[in-house]
Amino acid sequence: MLDESWAGIFRTYVLTELPVEQLAKNYPSRQGRPTKELYAMIGALLIQQMFDLTDEETVHHFSFDISWRYALDITDSSDEGSYLSLKTLWTMREHIGRDGIQDIIFNQITDKFIKEFNVSTQNQRLDSMHIESNMRHLGRIGIFVKCIRSFLVNLKRHHKGLFQALDSELTGKYLNRKQENIFSMVKPSESSRTLEELSQDLFFLVEGFRRTEKVNSMTTYQRLARVLQEQRLVECDNQNEPQVAVKKNSDVPSSSLQNPSDPDAGYDAHKGKGYQVQLAETYSTETDTDGNRPLSLLTYAEAEPAHLSDSKALKPMLDKVEEQDRKPEKILADTLYGSDDNCQYAKDKDVELVSPVKPSSCTDKSVRFDMFTFADNGEVTCCPAGHAPLHINHNHKKGRISACFDSNTCSHCDKRDECPTQPGKKGRYLRYCYKDIRLLRRRKHEQSAEFRDEYRCRAGIEATNSELDRRTGIKKLRYRGLAKVDYCVKLKAAALNILRVAAYCRRNGGLQPFFDQILAKIPLLLTSKELFYNWIGHFWPEINSMSGKPNFQFVYAS
């Protein structure tokens, strides 16, 4: 049962691939107390993200769960070998997140599975998913109050003389618990007046300490200045005195500060505050004899603030998977990824991007650009009325085309006022660029059955988003900050690959393919596969105890 579960997959394929060399750089070999076994430590942090456990739950499972001990190859049953302290867990996680080791973990595990199970990366699909960090969702009043209060607390702690020089009424408003609770009970009708009052206090503090170097180097002061820049308009009146006004909600940038405790978080108008993760996975349209799909693996996972557009995510994704030798030949994505610039970039990398085109802007004209007839080289052959242009000019430097139609012919056309052509010196002109032709052809291709049959596989990644959330809890994390969010995302993506491989192996005979690979590598002195399996079964306890070690190898004697 352990061999057929995630623990057997972890022990067989994952344990030896963990980058302990990168983590070992933080621990000198001849100085300090010996640390815990690093394979088990990285593995425990990976399994923690797999099952979305707290630190206390992780320590408990590490000490008492037999599946964890089997997966991590923990054979020492003593208290020293079984116990894991919370401080050790925190320190290991700090080292991994600070050094970016989570990228190496994800890449090495994914490459191992791709190689061992012959997973094809030719076809992939890309999508994003919104995730939330462990921060409170604050309104604009809450952001102002928390930033001002945090600054005053730090100012009192580190520069008590400057704090005492401030007006006691101002400091008491934010540091007195009873006074502070007033801001949480503001009526909607009074919110504008309260924001104006808070903005004046914010402006006073920022301007008052702008030239005090030991204060403006504080993190809490820098967040005050950021909020002032993002949420307020500072103008001058007729007497050249600064006046502070509150910006409209629509004028506040989506990259603005959402919570002082998580300054990296962004805002998405559709999904809310937090982060998003870009995910890419392999897919296949073929099935085996039992009707099962081949193994599908995540090949790319990257965390980013929620305000970033999906249209900017394709280029770094293609660069990253190409660097890891996982570049696809075809990639499916939704409309936001399918800009013309992204299509051209993917084409330059010999990748076919299959994505719908963003709908064109609405127009009241009955005669549209797509009603004209075009040749293969992009030139206009005739207008909707069937008239050919007099001449066509190409501007290859700017990528534009200009087609001139006869003015006399157009003057007798009953749709002249509705036509997109514009009057000129020598006739009526239709001006467009090569990009318009490419988008026009893509829109026509979208109406074909071939495109619909090809694009229908994109919806499968929505199930992956749901699976990643259900099994690893990725949508609501226990950490704050982009670095820690990225740490969770990479480990949870690697964990999902492990769970998928475990399910795939259960459908296909457990670890027998692993034994077949071993049989192919040893000298062909045993001609009977059954005899080899009997030999494995006889020596399985010894092999089992060695299989998690990095230097594991078979030694065969005739």
Side-chain angles (χ1 to χ4, degrees), residues 429-445:
Y429 290 87
L430 179 68
R431 297 181 177 91
Y432 57 97
C433 57
Y434 297 123
K435 174 183 176 180
D436 297 327
I437 297 298
R438 291 193 295 266
L439 295 178
L440 179 63
R441 289 172 178 169
R442 286 178 58 191
R443 289 192 178 98
K444 288 183 177 180
H445 180 61

Side-chain angles (χ1 to χ4, degrees), residues 83-98:
Y83 177 69
L84 172 63
S85 69
L86 287 173
K87 181 63 170 63
T88 300
L89 199 68
W90 301 338
T91 303
M92 294 292 177
R93 183 165 56 229
E94 177 71 20
H95 289 326
I96 291 176
R98 184 192 60 204

Side-chain angles (χ1 to χ4, degrees), residues 289-439:
T289 55
D290 296 330
N292 297 321
R293 297 283 186 187
L295 176 62
S296 176
L297 296 175
L298 292 175
T299 59
Y300 177 78
E302 194 70 32
E304 58 188 20
H307 67 271
L308 296 181
S309 174
D310 288 343
S311 61
K312 300 179 180 179
L314 182 75
K315 295 180 180 179
M317 177 265 173
L318 290 178
D319 294 339
K320 192 70 172 288
V321 295
E322 183 180 24
E323 179 184 345
Q324 299 297 329
D325 198 23
R326 298 194 289 264
K327 188 177 74 171
E329 295 180 2
K330 179 190 297 183
I331 184 167
L332 308 181
D334 60 22
T335 306
L336 290 177
Y337 298 92
S339 65
D340 184 70
D341 291 340
N342 284 344
C343 287
Q344 294 302 112
Y345 188 83
K347 185 178 180 181
D348 294 339
K349 289 186 171 292
D350 298 324
V351 177
E352 179 187 0
L353 174 60
V354 181
S355 172
V357 185
K358 188 176 181 179
S360 59
S361 58
C362 298
T363 176
D364 297 332
K365 294 186 176 181
S366 59
V367 180
R368 303 186 306 274
F369 173 73
D370 57 1
M371 292 183 178
F372 288 76
T373 306
F374 298 90
D376 293 339
N377 60 356
E379 295 182 353
V380 178
T381 57
C382 65
C383 69
H387 302 293
L390 297 177
H391 57 83
I392 299 175
N393 296 325
H394 289 262
N395 188 338
H396 296 285
K397 186 176 181 180
K398 294 184 178 181
R400 300 188 62 84
I401 303 176
S402 177
C404 179
F405 291 88
D406 187 8
S407 298
N408 295 328
T409 304
C410 293
S411 62
H412 295 87
C413 182
D414 57 348
K415 296 183 179 181
R416 180 183 68 241
D417 296 335
E418 302 297 328
C419 186
T421 58
Q422 300 293 329
K425 293 182 179 180
K426 299 181 180 180
R428 292 184 68 90
Y429 290 87
L430 179 68
R431 297 181 177 91
Y432 57 97
C433 57
Y434 297 123
K435 174 183 176 180
D436 297 327
I437 297 298
R438 291 193 295 266
L439 295 178

Side-chain angles (χ1 to χ4, degrees), residues 410-526:
C410 293
S411 62
H412 295 87
C413 182
D414 57 348
K415 296 183 179 181
R416 180 183 68 241
D417 296 335
E418 302 297 328
C419 186
T421 58
Q422 300 293 329
K425 293 182 179 180
K426 299 181 180 180
R428 292 184 68 90
Y429 290 87
L430 179 68
R431 297 181 177 91
Y432 57 97
C433 57
Y434 297 123
K435 174 183 176 180
D436 297 327
I437 297 298
R438 291 193 295 266
L439 295 178
L440 179 63
R441 289 172 178 169
R442 286 178 58 191
R443 289 192 178 98
K444 288 183 177 180
H445 180 61
E446 288 177 21
Q447 308 304 319
S448 64
E450 178 186 358
F451 176 84
R452 290 194 293 271
D453 182 68
E454 189 177 35
Y455 187 68
R456 63 183 176 86
C457 295
R458 191 217 69 87
I461 198 170
E462 301 293 348
T464 299
N465 294 343
S466 177
E467 181 185 13
L468 192 59
D469 178 41
R470 286 184 291 104
R471 306 192 75 172
T472 68
I474 195 173
K475 284 193 175 181
K476 291 190 176 181
L477 303 177
R478 293 184 170 88
Y479 307 96
R480 292 191 289 263
L482 182 59
K484 293 183 178 179
V485 169
D486 185 67
Y487 161 85
C488 292
V489 164
K490 295 291 173 52
L491 294 192
K492 288 181 183 293
L496 182 62
N497 283 342
I498 296 172
L499 295 172
R500 285 186 168 184
V501 169
Y504 176 80
C505 288
R506 284 195 296 270
R507 293 195 305 266
N508 295 273
L511 291 177
Q512 182 169 338
F514 173 64
F515 293 148
D516 292 337
Q517 294 172 12
I518 296 176
L519 179 61
K521 295 177 182 179
I522 67 172
L524 298 179
L525 300 177
L526 292 172

Side-chain angles (χ1 to χ4, degrees), residues 7 50 543 554:
M50 181 187 298
I543 295 173
F554 278 100

